[in-house]
Amino acid sequence: QWLVRLTSPGSDPWVGVRTLHRLVGYHCRIISVALSRYEKTRGSEHLLLDPVTGLPNRVAFIEDLKRWTSRGGIELAVIAMDLQDVVGPVSDRDDRWHSLLVRQIGQRCRDILRDQDLVARIGWYEFAFILPAIKGEGHALLACERISRTLRESFRVDGLRTLVRPTLGVSLFPRHAQEAEPLLRMAELARNEAAALLLAAARDRVA
């Protein structure tokens, strides 16, 4: 049943994944089959776009990153972002409401980027950025702060005020990795470590 929903025209594949998570837990094989079937039902012009935000998806992001890393003499930053907490009256919201929120998040990210930058939706509340012509770690951290500050401003979806709390991780090319997929993995690892540190700090405050 959920595979049918997942592959229906115009549907959001991450809604199906999220539903599968709730019903049967995290079974990578099931999710992989579902996403594979979804990809096969779309025209080739849509295979690289997220249907909710219109942003590039994970596959397109990796391909763009490969093109950038194949050039010589450049520096760039890869930022992986996850919205760990969505604060507001959202527990009883449906998938449509969450999709509207995701669309607003994607648009806000797109609005603050330079022309040469790229943002992609790579998961349910996960986004990734390519920032070419970055000038070292300090410049990348400033970009992270700008993204975080922009997204901490409240969203209004169906009249409901909602806050999100982004967690970001950064990797630099060519310092941390020389290929696209390792670069994204390094950024995701840094993001996950940042999220773990924030969680530990919150537990310490409660204790």
Side-chain angles (χ1 to χ4, degrees), residues 115-137:
D115 290 341
Q116 67 266 41
D117 298 335
L118 174 76
V119 57
R121 185 189 181 205
I122 62 171
W124 177 244
Y125 277 133
E126 294 180 61
F127 294 81
F129 303 80
I130 300 173
L131 306 182
I134 212 75
K135 296 178 181 178
E137 185 175 320

Side-chain angles (χ1 to χ4, degrees), residues 78-166:
V78 173
I79 299 174
M81 180 181 75
D82 190 11
L83 305 176
Q84 297 288 335
D85 298 304
V86 179
V87 181
V90 300
S91 60
D92 61 343
R93 301 295 99 190
D94 59 14
D95 290 330
R96 184 193 71 85
W97 187 92
H98 284 278
S99 293
L100 290 174
L101 175 59
V102 166
R103 189 174 300 148
Q104 288 191 29
I105 292 167
Q107 185 59 54
R108 194 175 289 185
C109 289
R110 188 158 35 194
D111 288 345
I112 64 172
L113 296 181
R114 304 168 300 173
D115 290 341
Q116 67 266 41
D117 298 335
L118 174 76
V119 57
R121 185 189 181 205
I122 62 171
W124 177 244
Y125 277 133
E126 294 180 61
F127 294 81
F129 303 80
I130 300 173
L131 306 182
I134 212 75
K135 296 178 181 178
E137 185 175 320
H139 193 184
L141 293 177
L142 286 174
C144 286
E145 176 55 32
R146 184 183 182 197
I147 294 168
S148 180
R149 184 173 60 250
T150 299
L151 294 180
R152 287 198 300 266
E153 298 176 6
S154 63
F155 293 85
R156 188 163 294 275
V157 184
D158 282 350
L160 298 176
R161 180 175 178 269
T162 304
L163 299 174
V164 300
R165 296 174 181 166

Side-chain angles (χ1 to χ4, degrees), residues 25-51:
Y26 189 79
H27 293 298
C28 294
R29 182 172 298 177
I30 293 174
I31 292 171
S32 176
V33 169
L35 287 176
S36 176
R37 181 173 172 184
Y38 169 81
E39 292 290 319
K40 289 177 182 178
T41 63
R42 307 288 287 173
S44 59
E45 70 276 13
H46 298 301
L47 291 179
L48 301 179
L49 294 179
D50 170 60

Side-chain angles (χ1 to χ4, degrees), residues 196-207:
L197 289 172
L198 289 173
L199 180 59
R203 287 174 176 168
D204 289 343
R205 286 196 297 270
V206 172

